[in-house]
Amino acid sequence: MHGGQPKDAKVSALSANPPANGANGAATPIVAETVVIGAGPCGLFQVFELGLLGISAHVVDSLRHPGGQCAELYPDKPIYDIPALPVCGAQELVDRLLQQIKPFKPQLHLAQEVTGFARREDGRFELTTSAGVTFDAGAVVIAAGLGSFQPRRIGIEGAEAFEAGAIHYRVRNAAELAGKQLVVFGGGDSALDWTLELLPKAASLTLVHRRSEFRAAPASVARMREQVAAGRMRCYEALPHSLIVEDGALRGVNIRHPDGSIEPLPAERLLVFFGLHPKLGPIAEWGLALEKRALRVDTEKFQTSLPGVFAVGDINTYPGKKKLILSGFHEAALAAFAIQHHLYPQKKQFLQYTTTSPVMHQRLGVPD
């Protein structure tokens, strides 16, 4: 167990660590107690729960910044069901989690995917990332959310040329859209949430959905229809047809109505929320038991079908599973104790409280 006095460490936005090279030029494996795959809220909280038990962790994520899909897709979206935080933005939650794990000095390996996975005869695991980093790990926690994902594209000719500027599949900077002519495509929560959020700030806003029915929360749909009735925005049942481009700049988009007619809409920015292509990616090939594209786990340890490999958050499944951040935090807490027993089966386990335990205070860097 590693219970020494933690030193202050800056965790936020750590760059992907390059592989260390041995004398023969091959990557030297990083010996790790635990490797956590996924730097979303559940993966970050897993680091915290492991740290309380004196267990260090390396974290690998395919995205360039910690936070997972929560921060990547909805950084400004409010979350209301985090205990003791009546409201918390998604990015704020990630920032708080990063601050919380600072005492444990986790190593973040970002912008890389775990592509190689093998269990050795001695029970440890060999992992390799797309950046050439290799690990010799005692335990593995998969906290990869829905897996790797890509947004569904708008799929009309010439769109790729504008996807770095005028066509957005997520909102990274809402302030940049103020005063612009916006056309939003989609009928789910993301489309409706951003429609209602951006409407007061936009020069004009039009919502386009392929059907008259919406998948979004009924309250959001009702609010949107109120705005349409008041003449503050327009809403069409239609599909994207073609872009309107002048002098290399996006000026609008043609939409196709159900009767086949084409209508031009002026637009400076297109916001496309057609959902994601969630894929388990390489994880699906690791021989772990799957159920409906999720990893089957027990509810005592949150261990997968392979001893030493655990799964927390949206990527796992079990009877009664609820895909909530709150549930993932609970799973991470129980998984941490199971990982401790897996790594150190001879060590007696004690439940210690952060409020009173000197050992916990030492690990957290709390002065006595």
Side-chain angles (χ1 to χ4, degrees):
M1 300 288 288
H2 300 276
Q5 176 70 29
K7 300 176 182 176
D8 183 38
K10 187 173 182 180
V11 174
S12 57
L14 283 177
S15 60
N17 294 332
N21 292 323
N24 60 358
T28 301
I30 297 171
V31 178
E33 287 183 289
T34 308
V35 171
V36 177
I37 301 172
C42 293
L44 296 177
F45 192 68
Q46 184 70 77
V47 172
F48 177 75
E49 289 295 317
L50 288 168
L52 289 179
L53 298 179
I55 299 171
S56 62
H58 287 256
V59 184
V60 182
D61 198 286
S62 61
L63 298 175
R64 295 186 176 276
H65 305 283
Q69 299 166 29
C70 185
E72 180 72 6
L73 299 178
Y74 317 112
D76 300 318
K77 189 172 182 178
I79 302 172
Y80 299 97
D81 60 350
I82 303 300
L85 294 175
V87 61
C88 181
Q91 186 60 54
E92 178 189 357
L93 175 62
V94 171
D95 292 341
R96 287 174 178 267
L97 288 164
L98 288 169
Q99 179 69 24
Q100 191 176 37
I101 64 177
K102 269 188 176 183
F104 307 126
K105 306 187 289 274
Q107 298 294 308
L108 304 188
H109 306 265
L110 304 174
Q112 52 194 296
E113 187 176 35
V114 176
T115 53
F117 171 90
R119 186 175 186 271
R120 299 192 326 210
E121 289 186 4
D122 63 0
R124 293 181 65 84
F125 299 91
E126 293 181 359
L127 292 87
T128 306
T129 78
S130 55
V133 179
T134 61
F135 296 96
D136 170 0
V140 177
V141 183
I142 303 173
L146 297 174
S148 60
F149 65 96
Q150 290 292 328
R152 292 187 172 93
R153 261 53 185 177
I154 192 169
I156 54 180
E157 185 177 353
E160 289 185 6
F162 295 96
E163 287 179 348
I167 297 178
H168 300 258
Y169 296 101
R170 60 155 291 189
V171 177
R172 296 179 183 272
N173 182 5
E176 187 270 335
L177 300 173
K180 297 285 197 301
Q181 295 175 307
L182 307 179
V183 175
V184 179
F185 288 94
D189 285 319
S190 297
L192 269 292
D193 288 348
W194 282 115
T195 291
L196 296 171
E197 172 74 18
L198 296 171
L199 180 58
K201 307 164 188 173
S204 66
L205 192 148
T206 303
L207 176 64
V208 180
H209 183 41
R210 61 188 176 89
R211 299 185 301 164
S212 58
E213 299 83 17
F214 289 82
R215 304 184 310 279
S220 298
V221 177
R223 286 178 57 201
M224 179 272 295
R225 294 197 190 283
E226 289 173 3
Q227 301 301 314
V228 172
R232 299 188 184 99
M233 61 170 285
R234 294 181 295 174
C235 180
Y236 292 112
E237 179 184 353
L239 293 169
H241 177 269
S242 56
L243 299 179
I244 301 171
V245 179
E246 294 178 7
D247 299 324
L250 181 72
R251 302 299 183 191
V253 60
N254 291 309
I255 59 173
R256 181 169 58 82
H257 294 282
D259 63 4
S261 62
I262 305 297
E263 180 175 353
L265 301 177
E268 295 171 89
R269 297 289 187 273
L270 306 184
L271 308 181
V272 183
F273 300 107
F274 289 159
L276 305 172
H277 289 290
K279 298 185 298 181
L280 282 180
I283 296 172
E285 310 300 323
W286 293 352
L288 305 173
L290 295 171
E291 183 178 325
K292 295 181 180 178
R293 292 165 54 187
L295 297 173
R296 195 162 64 237
V297 296
D298 63 67
T299 53
E300 177 189 3
K301 302 176 181 178
F302 293 94
Q303 185 169 249
T304 68
S305 58
L306 185 60
V309 179
F310 304 80
V312 299
D314 286 354
I315 201 159
N316 76 16
T317 187
Y318 52 86
K321 168 71 177 183
K322 298 294 183 290
K323 291 190 175 184
L324 299 169
I325 294 175
L326 178 66
S327 301
F329 287 170
H330 159 77
E331 295 163 11
L334 294 188
F337 283 95
I339 292 165
Q340 183 189 49
H341 181 70
H342 176 80
L343 293 175
Y344 309 107
Q346 305 304 321
K347 188 171 184 66
K348 215 168 196 180
Q349 286 190 318
F350 298 97
L351 182 62
Q352 302 185 72
Y353 300 99
T354 57
T355 51
T356 57
S357 168
V359 174
M360 292 294 184
H361 289 178
Q362 184 186 44
R363 289 171 182 160
L364 288 166
V366 177
D368 289 329

